[in-house]
């Protein structure tokens, strides 16, 4: 029996074995390897399914060239790099991988909070460089985390997992969403600047895309102030990155723990030169267990589609 055809926009190399598993079950057109991308898409006019990821996305140019496209399967929860409006216009369903990565992304947010406040990367370098052994100065004092105030921008599934962990640190929790939630005991703040000036640590856990672009503006960062930290595990463009760099340089913002950036994988050199930041290469979901779980969701959606069954995790496209 012939295998169903799919187009893969880019490698799912972040999930070991995923590319092979797709090839085992499907007749895969690896678009990133095509010498002539447009020709490859024209030749694939009968294909109904595209597999992609947050990094590779799926733009209108692909959607519009595939007249039989019915489904875009995203390996990742955030789908801001997929042109949802064009997909909806063409009746194309989109699936993502929610929930399975909440814990690991929340864990990484906490890693960044502690790493920033307690200078973990600097301490590691201090020991490796033999500065401790040589009595060469001291690591600067850190900032207490336990008992402090944690602000969460975007109290969704990942935001809730971050808040749950904060309870173990005896923290007060405030949050900002478009609307207050009625099912949580945390303090809602309608104005983002109010949440920022209240917070010791402000974690960004909101969706990406046009609706949240530069939501964390210069004013919000200034309200956070010189003794507080911004942590971002969501999407780079949610923060006004240029303003953040300036405020970190001038000391008007205390520090930053960043897993995501405006133009990945480019990270501004000015950020790399700063001591009060901890930088990670967009790896919130990057554990063996979670990456496998994400791929399992992709596979289940593909299998459901080709079996004519309901999709597991469809995204609302309109
Ligand atoms: C990426 C992510 O999928 O799920 C998301 O939205 O950002 C990540 O899990 C992963 O980093 C590969 O791009």
């Amino acid at each position: 029996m012939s295998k169903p055809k799919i187009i893969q926009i880019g490698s799912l190399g972040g999930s070991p074995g995923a590319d092979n598993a797709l090839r085992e079950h499907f007749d895969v057109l690896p678009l990133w390897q095509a010498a002539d991308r447009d020709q490859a898409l024209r030749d694939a006019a009968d294909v109904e399914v595209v597999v992609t990821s947050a990094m590779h996305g799926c733009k209108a140019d692909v959607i519009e060239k595939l007249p039989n496209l019915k489904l875009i399967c995203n390996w990742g929860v955030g789908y801001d790099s997929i042109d949802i409006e064009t997909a909806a216009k063409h009746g194309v369903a989109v699936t993502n991988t929610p929930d399975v990565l909440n814990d690991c992304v929340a864990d990484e947010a906490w890693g960044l909070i502690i790493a920033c406040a307690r200078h973990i990367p600097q301490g590691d370098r201090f020991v490796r460089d033999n500065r401790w052994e040589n009595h060469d100065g001291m690591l600067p004092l850190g900032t207490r985390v336990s008992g402090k105030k944690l602000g969460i921008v975007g109290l969704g599934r990942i935001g809730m997992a971050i808040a749950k962990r904060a309870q173990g640190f005896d923290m007060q929790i405030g949050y900002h969403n478009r609307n207050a939630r009625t099912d949580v005991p945390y303090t809602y703040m309608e104005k983002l600047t109010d949440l920022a000036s209240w917070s010791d640590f402000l974690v960004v856990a909101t969706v990406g895309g046009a609706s949240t672009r530069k939501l964390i503006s210069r004013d919000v960062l200034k309200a956070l102030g010189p003794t507080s930290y911004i942590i971002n595990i969501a999407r780079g463009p949610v923060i006004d990155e240029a303003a953040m760099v300036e405020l970190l340089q001038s000391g008007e913002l205390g520090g930053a723990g960043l897993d995501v950036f405006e133009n990945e994988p480019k990270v501004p050199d000015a950020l790399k030169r700063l001591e009060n930041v901890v930088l990670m290469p967009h790896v919130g979901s990057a554990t063996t267990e979670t990456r496998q779980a994400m791929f399992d969701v992709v596979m289940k959606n593909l299998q459901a589609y080709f079996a004519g069954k309901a999709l597991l995790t469809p995204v609302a496209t309109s």
Side-chain angles (χ1 to χ4, degrees):
M1 219 178 79
S2 68
K3 300 183 214 174
K5 277 191 196 172
I6 63 169
I7 292 177
Q8 205 183 325
I9 305 262
S11 167
L12 301 190
S15 183
D19 290 350
N20 282 343
L22 285 175
R23 274 198 296 270
E24 202 180 301
H25 291 89
F26 304 100
D27 179 2
V28 180
L29 165 65
L31 197 59
W32 77 103
Q33 289 171 353
D36 182 341
R37 192 181 152 97
D38 284 349
Q39 186 58 45
L41 286 169
R42 274 194 295 275
D43 294 344
D46 57 332
V47 173
E48 296 179 13
V49 175
V50 160
V51 171
T52 190
S53 70
M55 190 165 89
H56 303 301
C58 189
K59 298 284 179 236
D61 66 321
V62 172
I63 300 169
E64 282 162 355
K65 285 194 182 88
L66 295 170
N68 284 303
L69 187 63
K70 301 283 183 312
L71 171 65
I72 301 169
C73 247
N74 187 42
W75 177 75
V77 66
Y79 47 87
D80 47 296
S81 56
I82 296 175
D83 188 335
I84 289 288
E85 275 162 28
T86 306
K89 201 168 90 194
H90 290 262
V92 177
V94 177
T95 59
N96 65 345
T97 62
D99 293 320
V100 292
L101 43 61
N102 297 348
D103 285 333
C104 281
V105 177
D107 291 349
E108 202 218 10
W110 271 95
L112 287 168
I113 291 173
I114 307 274
C116 285
R118 302 303 304 273
H119 306 313
I120 305 272
Q122 293 88 338
D124 180 80
R125 283 201 301 276
F126 190 79
V127 176
R128 285 174 201 269
D129 295 347
N130 295 324
R131 294 188 54 199
W132 191 29
E133 274 171 50
N134 294 333
H135 305 280
D136 177 18
M138 286 192 340
L139 197 63
L141 290 180
T143 301
R144 183 182 165 97
V145 175
S146 293
K148 291 285 185 70
K149 295 183 186 127
L150 178 74
I152 300 175
V153 181
L155 193 66
R157 289 176 284 221
I158 294 173
M160 287 292 280
I162 293 168
K164 184 175 159 193
R165 284 152 178 75
Q167 287 166 6
F169 286 85
D170 300 321
M171 291 177 100
Q172 295 173 60
I173 300 167
Y175 73 100
H176 172 85
N177 268 6
R178 248 172 307 185
N179 298 303
R181 291 180 63 140
T182 51
D183 57 344
V184 296
Y186 314 133
T187 310
Y188 176 67
M189 297 195 208
E190 201 182 333
K191 274 182 72 186
L192 205 39
T193 43
D194 289 345
L195 180 68
S197 47
W198 174 86
S199 299
D200 296 303
F201 300 91
L202 187 66
V203 181
V204 185
T206 185
V207 294
S211 65
T212 56
R213 205 179 152 73
K214 298 205 176 160
L215 182 68
I216 309 296
S217 61
R218 180 182 292 272
D219 284 351
V220 172
L221 295 166
K222 279 185 113 164
L224 192 55
T227 57
S228 300
Y229 296 82
I230 184 86
I231 307 293
N232 191 4
I233 46 79
R235 288 290 184 260
V238 179
I239 297 183
D240 182 338
E241 192 169 88
M244 177 178 67
V245 172
E246 276 175 34
L247 296 171
L248 285 165
Q249 283 170 328
S250 67
E252 288 165 274
L253 176 62
L258 306 168
D259 181 57
V260 287
F261 303 88
E262 198 169 328
N263 297 306
E264 293 173 14
K266 276 302 292 171
V267 175
D269 287 335
L271 259 182
K272 295 181 200 159
R273 283 195 291 270
L274 287 167
E275 268 300 307
N276 52 346
V277 303
V278 176
L279 308 173
M280 290 287 276
H282 196 152
V283 285
S285 67
T287 64
T288 306
E289 298 87 343
T290 289
R291 286 292 174 80
Q292 183 60 48
M294 287 161 66
F295 183 62
D296 291 346
V297 176
V298 168
M299 275 304 245
K300 283 186 187 145
N301 277 304
L302 290 172
Q303 280 155 354
Y305 174 78
F306 286 113
K309 294 187 181 151
L311 297 167
L312 256 78
T313 53
V315 157
T317 53
S318 53

